[in-house]
Amino acid sequence: MALLREPLLLLSRSGMVKQLVSTMPVSAGIVKSYVPGESTADAVRATGGLVEAGLHATLDFLGEDTLDREQAELTVAAYLDVLRALSDEGLARHTEVSVKLSAIGQSLPGPGAKIALENGRTICHAARNAGTTVTLDMEDHTTTDATLATLRELRKDFPETGAVLQSYLRRTEADCRDLAYEGSRVRLCKGAYDEPESVAFTDRHEVDKAYVRCLKVLMAGEGYPMIATHDPRMVDIAGALATRNGRSQGTYEYQMLFGIRPDEQQRLSDAGEKVRVYVPYGSEWYGYLMRRLAERPSNLSFFLRSLVSKK
Ligand SMILES: Cc1cc2nc3c(=O)[nH]c(=O)nc-3n(C[C@H](O)[C@H](O)[C@H](O)COP(=O)(O)OP(=O)(O)OC[C@H]3O[C@@H](n4cnc5c(N)ncnc54)[C@H](O)[C@@H]3O)c2cc1C
């Protein structure tokens, strides 16, 4: 099954397959288990349920690699809309937003980075007005430097802006050291893209070992670690590192994806841990779904069956 990871990640970027799958409502079965819906109202409803259960959330309006300026503006508008709705519903204290810079202009030719920064500022401003924060998702390694540069710029005015680092990248331990300063919110994940050996560990075991090394740096540091993983071993190690570093609950948080290990999310929260659920929503769910299938190819047969049986 591990052999399927690469082709699935390739498919996640295939325009033709995307067209085919995205227009098939038949795929709704599996999509629904990872994405609560397409509209702001769907996202806010799902968030309300999580908050009621004592969890926190971060909302991601799905979309990436936008080569269309108008689409980037629509994405910004969607974030402003959801932030307003969260504030109106009294959910903003428990809910932030996650933003992919490539969805708000970073991949546009020419002044893409500048457009993404300006759009990022607009969203950060709206988040602050709503009483919450923004975290910049991390995408493939060709964007890491640009994303961290944008983060630095945004943090001048919005120091609460969160970063994401991926343990599979060889550079990340050093990036963790750079970002483990007071007030710095850093989400550590393993990484979801298909990266070459030259920049990334490709062996799962190596990625896990790197995750632990990075976690040690962040948990010993002055920042606010956000431990994004479903891996029971990583969750246990994070708990042990919190004890070793004298960190009390709430000086770090666990993060998991919507629909993945919900019992574990609840268990950690009931044990007093802060747990945030990443809630993706919107119609552009294709790339996100393919990355989730690549991580868990055992779901592939379920997905293919739902295509064939048109349920
Ligand atoms: C909140 C959050 C935000 C993220 N943001 C980003 C980002 O900005 N950029 C990026 O590249 N990636 C991001 N990711 C994805 C991340 O990089 C990984 O691809 C993804 O989380 C899978 O890695 P894992 O740590 O869960 O462990 P894996 O190595 O995939 O799995 C390890 C173990 O976890 C358990 N597990 C994993 N999945 C499941 C499942 N579906 N059901 C039951 N058990 C399971 C199993 O025991 C498994 O053996 C994010 C992940 C989370 C949780």
Side-chain angles (χ1 to χ4, degrees):
M1 280 299 194
L3 290 175
L4 283 170
R5 179 177 146 83
E6 213 173 305
L8 280 169
L9 287 172
L10 266 178
L11 276 189
S12 75
R13 300 221 142 154
S14 152
M16 204 175 79
V17 180
K18 174 180 174 182
Q19 181 75 11
L20 191 73
V21 175
S22 306
T23 52
M24 287 181 170
V26 286
S27 54
I30 185 118
V31 179
K32 275 268 172 204
S33 59
Y34 291 111
V35 178
E38 299 200 346
S39 66
T40 296
D42 293 333
V44 171
R45 198 175 310 115
T47 303
L50 295 168
V51 170
E52 213 165 287
L55 300 162
H56 294 70
T58 181
L59 298 188
D60 165 40
F61 181 70
L62 288 163
E64 54 201 283
D65 298 336
T66 289
L67 293 172
D68 175 355
R69 182 128 190 204
E70 204 178 318
Q71 183 57 39
E73 302 303 336
L74 287 172
T75 299
V76 176
Y79 275 108
L80 302 190
D81 188 48
V82 85
L83 284 163
R84 213 173 299 120
L86 289 171
S87 172
D88 290 350
E89 296 294 320
L91 293 168
R93 205 159 59 83
H94 302 277
T95 313
E96 61 143 31
V97 292
S98 286
V99 175
K100 283 188 176 49
L101 289 179
S102 82
I104 57 168
Q106 191 183 53
S107 349
L108 292 171
K114 199 161 160 266
I115 294 168
L117 175 61
E118 283 316 308
N119 284 337
R121 274 208 182 100
T122 304
I123 298 171
C124 285
H125 196 72
R128 186 180 278 176
N129 282 346
T132 188
T133 52
V134 174
T135 292
L136 299 183
D137 279 354
M138 191 57 86
E139 303 179 65
D140 74 77
H141 81 276
T142 61
T143 63
T144 309
D145 280 327
T147 298
L148 291 178
T150 302
L151 175 83
R152 278 192 296 277
E153 280 305 308
L154 286 174
R155 279 189 173 179
K156 286 180 186 165
D157 295 323
F158 306 96
E160 66 274 26
T161 307
V164 178
L165 295 175
Q166 301 151 316
S167 76
Y168 65 12
L169 292 186
R170 296 174 190 276
R171 59 178 285 167
T172 294
E173 206 180 326
D175 287 334
C176 285
R177 272 188 224 105
D178 287 350
L179 287 181
Y181 56 84
E182 198 181 338
S184 172
R185 299 167 60 244
V186 181
R187 175 195 301 161
L188 180 66
C189 63
K190 290 187 189 177
Y193 297 81
D194 187 25
E195 300 290 17
E197 182 120 38
S198 53
V199 297
F201 303 108
T202 49
D203 177 75
R204 287 183 87 94
H205 192 53
E206 287 300 319
V207 176
D208 289 356
K209 285 201 295 191
Y211 195 95
V212 175
R213 287 197 300 276
C214 292
L215 205 49
K216 281 183 176 164
V217 174
L218 294 177
M219 293 298 271
E222 302 289 311
Y224 180 81
M226 303 187 279
I227 304 145
T229 183
H230 313 97
D231 191 331
R233 285 171 314 145
M234 300 304 140
V235 169
D236 285 351
I237 290 169
L241 286 171
T243 308
R244 185 194 295 173
N245 290 291
R247 277 185 178 268
S248 54
Q249 289 178 326
T251 64
Y252 60 93
E253 68 184 43
Y254 291 100
Q255 297 191 342
M256 294 190 192
L257 301 177
F258 180 83
I260 302 188
R261 302 198 73 206
D263 295 349
E264 177 65 358
Q265 296 168 13
Q266 196 63 59
R267 185 193 70 81
L268 286 166
S269 171
D270 292 347
E273 299 289 358
K274 187 164 180 181
V275 180
R276 192 178 299 278
V277 181
Y278 185 103
V279 182
Y281 71 100
S283 56
E284 291 288 317
W285 44 260
Y286 177 77
Y288 179 85
L289 177 70
M290 286 297 147
R291 287 195 291 279
R292 301 293 79 80
L293 288 177
E295 276 153 19
R296 210 136 175 101
S298 54
N299 280 337
L300 191 61
S301 58
F302 176 39
F303 175 60
L304 292 175
R305 270 203 313 279
S306 70
L307 284 181
V308 173
S309 66
K310 301 196 183 298
K311 274 189 209 133

